[in-house]
Structure formats: C-alpha cells, structure tokens
C-alpha cells in the first residue's frame, strides 16, 4: 500500500492536489494523480482537503479524519491575517 489512494471513479483529474502539495510529492498522469516522492510527505493534508470530489486519500492524513467545514463564514484577508497572528500554532 502506498502513501496516497485515488478513487479513480470520483477523480476528475483537476490537478488541484498536485498544485497544492507543498513538497511536490504528487504528479498528474493521464490516469490521475500518482505519488512520486512519498518520503517527502509532511502530512499536511492539503492534497486530501483540496479535492473537490473527495477522491484523494493519504495514509498520513486520512480522508476519514477530515472535518467538514460546513457553513463557516469566509474570512476577509485582514481577518485571516489577524487570526493567524493571534494564534501561535
């Protein structure tokens, strides 16, 4: 079993997971996203979170453990900046 699993029936091959990965561990092929450097994964979960069809799963950041955002209001750029500066994660 590899690092990522892609539901090929759900995947629309949009490439968002590839673009969002900060460590470039995924590349897009004609069949869909594939891992190319699994050792580089930092378990950020961006590839799973960005997928509009919930087709991506990552053993280090499983889809089953992702929380739904629901109807949270969208923050303005200033609100987002203030939030990030206020909390030291």
């Amino acid at each position: 079993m590899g690092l990522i699993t892609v539901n090929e029936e759900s995947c629309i091959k949009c490439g968002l997971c590839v673009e969002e990965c900060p460590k470039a561990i995924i590349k897009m092929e004609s069949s869909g996203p594939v891992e190319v450097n699994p050792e580089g994964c930092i378990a950020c979960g961006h590839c799973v979170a960005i997928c509009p069809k919930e087709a991506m799963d990552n053993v280090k950041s499983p889809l089953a453990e992702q929380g739904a955002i629901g109807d949270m209001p969208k923050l303005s750029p200033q609100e987002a900046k203030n939030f990030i500066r206020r909390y030291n994660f």
Side-chain angles (χ1 to χ4, degrees):
M1 182 172 158
L3 177 68
I4 66 168
T5 304
V6 179
N7 181 328
E8 294 179 12
E9 292 179 17
S10 300
C11 180
I12 58 173
K13 299 171 185 64
C14 63
L16 290 174
C17 56
V18 175
E19 292 174 26
E20 190 65 23
C21 181
K23 301 300 275 180
I25 67 134
I26 307 168
K27 82 172 189 175
M28 185 60 69
E29 292 190 347
S30 60
S31 60
V34 295
E35 59 191 61
V36 291
N37 181 21
E39 304 81 31
C41 181
I42 58 172
C44 67
H46 291 175
C47 59
V48 178
I50 195 76
C51 183
K53 298 295 183 176
E54 296 184 345
M56 175 69 72
D57 206 354
N58 183 320
V59 297
K60 290 186 175 183
S61 184
L63 178 61
E65 294 179 12
Q66 302 294 316
I69 294 174
D71 292 330
M72 290 183 71
K74 184 176 179 180
L75 300 177
S76 71
Q78 186 62 46
E79 290 170 325
K81 179 181 174 183
N82 291 342
F83 176 82
I84 291 169
R85 292 182 74 190
R86 179 175 176 196
Y87 297 99
N88 296 319
F89 295 107

PDB file of all heavy atoms in Angstrom, residues 34-47:
ATOM      1  N   VAL A  34      -0.470  10.585  -9.019  1.00  0.00           N
ATOM      2  CA  VAL A  34       0.356   9.487  -8.507  1.00  0.00           C
ATOM      3  C   VAL A  34       1.442  10.074  -7.615  1.00  0.00           C
ATOM      4  O   VAL A  34       1.887  11.204  -7.806  1.00  0.00           O
ATOM      5  CB  VAL A  34       1.010   8.646  -9.637  1.00  0.00           C
ATOM      6  CG1 VAL A  34      -0.035   7.936 -10.460  1.00  0.00           C
ATOM      7  CG2 VAL A  34       1.893   9.501 -10.514  1.00  0.00           C
ATOM      8  N   GLU A  35       1.864   9.311  -6.630  1.00  0.00           N
ATOM      9  CA  GLU A  35       2.937   9.768  -5.747  1.00  0.00           C
ATOM     10  C   GLU A  35       4.278   9.548  -6.438  1.00  0.00           C
ATOM     11  O   GLU A  35       4.493   8.542  -7.105  1.00  0.00           O
ATOM     12  CB  GLU A  35       2.885   9.038  -4.409  1.00  0.00           C
ATOM     13  CG  GLU A  35       3.019   7.530  -4.515  1.00  0.00           C
ATOM     14  CD  GLU A  35       2.707   6.811  -3.223  1.00  0.00           C
ATOM     15  OE1 GLU A  35       1.578   6.918  -2.733  1.00  0.00           O
ATOM     16  OE2 GLU A  35       3.616   6.132  -2.719  1.00  0.00           O
ATOM     17  N   VAL A  36       5.155  10.528  -6.300  1.00  0.00           N
ATOM     18  CA  VAL A  36       6.485  10.413  -6.903  1.00  0.00           C
ATOM     19  C   VAL A  36       7.595  10.519  -5.869  1.00  0.00           C
ATOM     20  O   VAL A  36       8.722  10.152  -6.147  1.00  0.00           O
ATOM     21  CB  VAL A  36       6.710  11.475  -8.015  1.00  0.00           C
ATOM     22  CG1 VAL A  36       5.827  11.176  -9.208  1.00  0.00           C
ATOM     23  CG2 VAL A  36       6.480  12.880  -7.503  1.00  0.00           C
ATOM     24  N   ASN A  37       7.268  11.019  -4.691  1.00  0.00           N
ATOM     25  CA  ASN A  37       8.267  11.163  -3.635  1.00  0.00           C
ATOM     26  C   ASN A  37       7.580  11.018  -2.279  1.00  0.00           C
ATOM     27  O   ASN A  37       7.508  11.974  -1.507  1.00  0.00           O
ATOM     28  CB  ASN A  37       8.969  12.528  -3.756  1.00  0.00           C
ATOM     29  CG  ASN A  37      10.023  12.726  -2.703  1.00  0.00           C
ATOM     30  OD1 ASN A  37      10.530  11.770  -2.121  1.00  0.00           O
ATOM     31  ND2 ASN A  37      10.351  13.971  -2.418  1.00  0.00           N
ATOM     32  N   PRO A  38       7.063   9.836  -1.959  1.00  0.00           N
ATOM     33  CA  PRO A  38       6.305   9.669  -0.718  1.00  0.00           C
ATOM     34  C   PRO A  38       7.106   9.976   0.546  1.00  0.00           C
ATOM     35  O   PRO A  38       6.545  10.393   1.552  1.00  0.00           O
ATOM     36  CB  PRO A  38       5.853   8.215  -0.752  1.00  0.00           C
ATOM     37  CG  PRO A  38       6.718   7.540  -1.750  1.00  0.00           C
ATOM     38  CD  PRO A  38       7.162   8.588  -2.715  1.00  0.00           C
ATOM     39  N   GLU A  39       8.422   9.808   0.492  1.00  0.00           N
ATOM     40  CA  GLU A  39       9.261  10.084   1.660  1.00  0.00           C
ATOM     41  C   GLU A  39       9.234  11.568   2.021  1.00  0.00           C
ATOM     42  O   GLU A  39       9.516  11.939   3.150  1.00  0.00           O
ATOM     43  CB  GLU A  39      10.718   9.660   1.416  1.00  0.00           C
ATOM     44  CG  GLU A  39      10.901   8.216   1.014  1.00  0.00           C
ATOM     45  CD  GLU A  39      10.634   7.978  -0.475  1.00  0.00           C
ATOM     46  OE1 GLU A  39      10.869   8.874  -1.312  1.00  0.00           O
ATOM     47  OE2 GLU A  39      10.161   6.876  -0.794  1.00  0.00           O
ATOM     48  N   GLY A  40       8.913  12.412   1.046  1.00  0.00           N
ATOM     49  CA  GLY A  40       8.898  13.853   1.273  1.00  0.00           C
ATOM     50  C   GLY A  40       7.609  14.372   1.889  1.00  0.00           C
ATOM     51  O   GLY A  40       7.518  15.547   2.247  1.00  0.00           O
ATOM     52  N   CYS A  41       6.602  13.521   2.033  1.00  0.00           N
ATOM     53  CA  CYS A  41       5.305  13.946   2.563  1.00  0.00           C
ATOM     54  C   CYS A  41       5.444  14.439   3.998  1.00  0.00           C
ATOM     55  O   CYS A  41       6.029  13.770   4.850  1.00  0.00           O
ATOM     56  CB  CYS A  41       4.302  12.799   2.502  1.00  0.00           C
ATOM     57  SG  CYS A  41       2.663  13.236   3.108  1.00  0.00           S
ATOM     58  N   ILE A  42       4.886  15.626   4.264  1.00  0.00           N
ATOM     59  CA  ILE A  42       4.942  16.198   5.607  1.00  0.00           C
ATOM     60  C   ILE A  42       3.600  16.080   6.338  1.00  0.00           C
ATOM     61  O   ILE A  42       3.401  16.703   7.382  1.00  0.00           O
ATOM     62  CB  ILE A  42       5.410  17.668   5.572  1.00  0.00           C
ATOM     63  CG1 ILE A  42       4.474  18.517   4.700  1.00  0.00           C
ATOM     64  CG2 ILE A  42       6.861  17.753   5.099  1.00  0.00           C
ATOM     65  CD1 ILE A  42       4.754  20.015   4.752  1.00  0.00           C
ATOM     66  N   ALA A  43       2.681  15.295   5.795  1.00  0.00           N
ATOM     67  CA  ALA A  43       1.378  15.010   6.412  1.00  0.00           C
ATOM     68  C   ALA A  43       0.541  16.259   6.646  1.00  0.00           C
ATOM     69  O   ALA A  43      -0.194  16.352   7.616  1.00  0.00           O
ATOM     70  CB  ALA A  43       1.559  14.226   7.710  1.00  0.00           C
ATOM     71  N   CYS A  44       0.636  17.231   5.738  1.00  0.00           N
ATOM     72  CA  CYS A  44      -0.125  18.469   5.898  1.00  0.00           C
ATOM     73  C   CYS A  44      -1.604  18.280   5.579  1.00  0.00           C
ATOM     74  O   CYS A  44      -2.445  19.035   6.051  1.00  0.00           O
ATOM     75  CB  CYS A  44       0.462  19.585   5.037  1.00  0.00           C
ATOM     76  SG  CYS A  44       0.293  19.327   3.251  1.00  0.00           S
ATOM     77  N   GLY A  45      -1.912  17.292   4.732  1.00  0.00           N
ATOM     78  CA  GLY A  45      -3.303  17.006   4.387  1.00  0.00           C
ATOM     79  C   GLY A  45      -3.882  17.884   3.300  1.00  0.00           C
ATOM     80  O   GLY A  45      -5.063  17.784   2.979  1.00  0.00           O
ATOM     81  N   HIS A  46      -3.074  18.752   2.710  1.00  0.00           N
ATOM     82  CA  HIS A  46      -3.593  19.646   1.675  1.00  0.00           C
ATOM     83  C   HIS A  46      -4.159  18.888   0.482  1.00  0.00           C
ATOM     84  O   HIS A  46      -5.194  19.278  -0.050  1.00  0.00           O
ATOM     85  CB  HIS A  46      -2.504  20.608   1.193  1.00  0.00           C
ATOM     86  CG  HIS A  46      -2.106  21.612   2.212  1.00  0.00           C
ATOM     87  ND1 HIS A  46      -1.078  22.495   2.007  1.00  0.00           N
ATOM     88  CD2 HIS A  46      -2.576  21.888   3.451  1.00  0.00           C
ATOM     89  CE1 HIS A  46      -0.939  23.262   3.063  1.00  0.00           C
ATOM     90  NE2 HIS A  46      -1.837  22.907   3.964  1.00  0.00           N
ATOM     91  N   CYS A  47      -3.511  17.818   0.068  1.00  0.00           N
ATOM     92  CA  CYS A  47      -3.975  17.067  -1.101  1.00  0.00           C
ATOM     93  C   CYS A  47      -5.368  16.488  -0.865  1.00  0.00           C
ATOM     94  O   CYS A  47      -6.204  16.456  -1.772  1.00  0.00           O
ATOM     95  CB  CYS A  47      -2.992  15.961  -1.473  1.00  0.00           C
ATOM     96  SG  CYS A  47      -2.689  14.732  -0.167  1.00  0.00           S
TER      97      CYS A  47
END
